[in-house]
Amino acid sequence: MGDVSQYFKDYGEEIYRYLRRLVDDEEAARDLLQETFLKAMRYTIEEEKAKSYIYRIAHSLAMDYFREKAHYSSFPLLEERIAANPVDEDDYNEIWNIPNSQEKGILLLYYQEKYSCQEIADRLNIPLNTVKSHLHRAKKKIYNFLKGDN
């Protein structure tokens, strides 16, 4: 049985970065991080599976956050954002508004955290082919955006 406070020291910053990029809200990411570790304290966690288990909790809470708060509205269509506030279309941050929240989470784990598809599947407890499908769809959406096929 692992010590959750040690897991927080070991993985807290990494999971916070993941949540921060996923929900695009610093305060919400902190709240979700805190909730993640509070929830983890309720269970016995095997040390060798701790990181995966904590990621799964964090991801699940983030998805609940989007559903419960109808927070999808924080991801307005790119065209509406550009019309309301003209920006450089090459702006890196705009790309993150294109995939849905599930795809965005997987992209972050794949590119930012450098996890393989299998590692993502293990951490989020979803099938490997589901990870690959989400990754493929997100890349295609971004490609089409960059190509101008909105």
Side-chain angles (χ1 to χ4, degrees):
M1 177 171 87
D3 177 19
V4 173
S5 62
Q6 185 60 46
Y7 297 148
F8 182 80
K9 290 175 190 172
D10 293 345
Y11 313 125
E13 185 63 33
E14 181 180 333
I15 292 173
Y16 170 75
R17 283 192 318 267
Y18 170 70
L19 289 168
R20 174 72 175 88
R21 295 285 293 169
L22 184 60
V23 300
D24 199 29
D25 180 332
E26 200 170 308
E27 187 174 328
R30 277 194 223 113
D31 290 345
L32 289 168
L33 179 68
Q34 181 179 2
E35 195 174 339
T36 296
F37 283 93
L38 286 173
K39 193 169 185 175
M41 289 172 60
R42 297 183 198 141
Y43 304 99
T44 302
I45 303 172
E46 295 177 36
E47 195 162 341
E48 59 276 356
K49 297 180 180 179
K51 187 174 183 180
S52 173
Y53 186 76
I54 293 169
Y55 257 102
R56 218 172 316 147
I57 292 171
H59 184 79
S60 177
L61 289 171
M63 295 302 108
D64 289 346
Y65 170 80
F66 286 120
R67 277 190 295 275
E68 290 172 15
K69 303 295 182 183
H71 207 282
Y72 290 108
S73 63
S74 75
F75 297 103
L77 294 174
L78 183 60
E79 298 81 22
E80 294 172 7
R81 288 187 65 188
I82 291 172
N85 184 17
V87 294
D88 179 13
E89 288 187 61
D90 293 328
D91 186 358
Y92 172 80
N93 291 324
E94 293 300 332
I95 291 173
W96 290 105
N97 290 323
I98 296 167
N100 68 37
S101 58
Q102 181 79 8
E103 294 164 347
K104 183 178 178 181
I106 290 171
L107 279 173
L108 289 169
L109 290 172
Y110 188 77
Y111 287 109
Q112 185 177 346
E113 301 300 330
K114 309 280 191 241
Y115 290 135
S116 69
C117 289
Q118 185 62 56
E119 289 171 323
I120 294 168
D122 293 343
R123 282 176 181 26
L124 300 182
N125 196 30
I126 58 178
L128 176 60
N129 285 336
T130 301
V131 171
K132 290 178 180 180
S133 293
H134 282 301
L135 193 57
H136 174 75
R137 276 195 300 270
K139 287 180 186 181
K140 186 172 184 176
K141 287 178 183 178
I142 292 170
Y143 173 77
N144 288 336
F145 163 73
L146 292 172
K147 218 173 85 173
D149 292 346
N150 302 336

